[in-house]
Amino acid sequence: ELLALQGLKRGTLRIAGVTTTEYFIAQWISAFARTHPGIDIELAVHNRDAVVELLRSERVDLALMMRPPSFPPLHTLPVLDNPLVLIGPAGHPWAQRRRLPLSALKGQTLLWRESGSGTRQVVLEHLRANGLDPDERLTLGSNEAIKHAVAAGLGLAVLSRHALDADPAQEGLALLPMTGFPILRLWQLVWRRDRRLPLAASAWIEHLRSALPTAFQAGSGLKAPTIAMPDNSA
Ligand code: PGA
């Protein structure tokens, strides 16, 4: 069957990725696109709730997301760690500190993604579970808008480490170490259990499965960005 998939000549790979996957998903598609020249590739990039809707309405066959819904029933394949980090403007005094308590966030202005965002949902749940009731006054509808606003001093934010440069200082940002951060989540590749998976989609999953064990090694064609994390120890 694997041979049949490798030889697949035609079809369309219809994938949806949540917003932050746009920083790396092209790398995950490019080797496949080269070895499967007859397959069309359609990648949709939206927030979590919109990706769920695309799966439900069968407009995509596969999705890459952090918070899969309980309906429709899905197969899930974990593919990449997604640490959510607290960021502030470069030079923020907290960047030099160790182990700030989460309560230090009380009274701080936080910048939020829009309400359909999985990142927003996870961060809110995390803060509420730890007894904080964060202010949700400031919403900016994209990771990039949030990064620019944080760099400009508008507030702090929690974003996927993958949305940031390997050296966040290059973007005017600093990682702030704090108890409870990073929030450790992962992205999963998901597809419906109650539908037949098109061959093009199976072929891409097989491609990822064979490449993922070596995902972070040079030359695998599957690379996650090299990322630094704030020192949360001591
Ligand atoms: P989102 O992505 O914040 O762009 O919705 C998060 C996720 O669900 O992985």
Side-chain angles (χ1 to χ4, degrees), residues 68-89:
S70 47
F71 178 83
L74 298 168
H75 293 283
T76 59
L77 178 66
V79 286
L80 185 63
D81 290 332
N82 181 26
L84 304 176
V85 292
L86 179 66
I87 56 169

Side-chain angles (χ1 to χ4, degrees), residues 27 33 37 39 46 62 65 87 91 112 117 121 129 131 186 197 201 222-223:
Q27 293 173 308
I39 295 188
H46 295 286
L62 291 169
M65 64 197 316
I87 56 169
W112 296 92
S117 155
Q121 295 158 5
L186 41 85
L197 194 62
L222 267 182
K223 272 195 247 138

Side-chain angles (χ1 to χ4, degrees), residues 95-216:
Q96 306 309 324
R97 301 271 301 269
R98 287 198 155 198
R99 264 199 121 164
L100 272 154
L102 200 63
S103 59
L105 278 182
K106 268 188 207 144
Q108 295 287 324
T109 301
L110 286 177
L111 307 181
W112 296 92
R113 284 278 308 283
E114 73 283 1
S115 63
S117 155
T119 307
R120 178 184 180 128
Q121 295 158 5
V122 167
V123 175
L124 269 178
E125 280 164 16
H126 182 72
L127 295 182
R128 286 181 180 145
N130 284 281
L132 293 182
D133 180 23
D135 184 293
E136 294 170 68
R137 192 168 63 91
L138 296 179
T139 293
L140 291 94
S142 83
N143 291 325
E144 291 298 314
I146 288 178
K147 283 160 60 177
H148 286 288
V150 170
L154 204 57
L156 310 180
V158 182
L159 289 185
S160 167
R161 183 63 186 85
H162 295 286
L164 307 173
D165 196 271
D167 176 10
Q170 297 295 325
E171 307 179 292
L173 300 171
L175 302 179
L176 307 179
M178 175 168 277
T179 303
F181 287 91
I183 304 171
L184 298 176
R185 291 291 182 277
L186 41 85
W187 278 309
Q188 319 197 52
L189 188 63
V190 307
W191 61 98
R192 292 180 66 141
R193 283 179 181 276
D194 58 347
R195 293 290 180 276
R196 205 161 166 271
L197 194 62
L199 280 179
S202 314
W204 191 57
I205 294 172
E206 283 315 315
H207 165 83
L208 283 183
R209 267 196 219 278
S210 59
L212 278 173
T214 53
F216 300 169

Side-chain angles (χ1 to χ4, degrees), residues 18-20 46-48 65-67 113 116-119 187:
V18 288
T19 317
T20 310
H46 295 286
N47 68 30
R48 185 260 178 198
M65 64 197 316
M66 173 168 62
R67 305 179 78 237
R113 284 278 308 283
S117 155
T119 307
W187 278 309

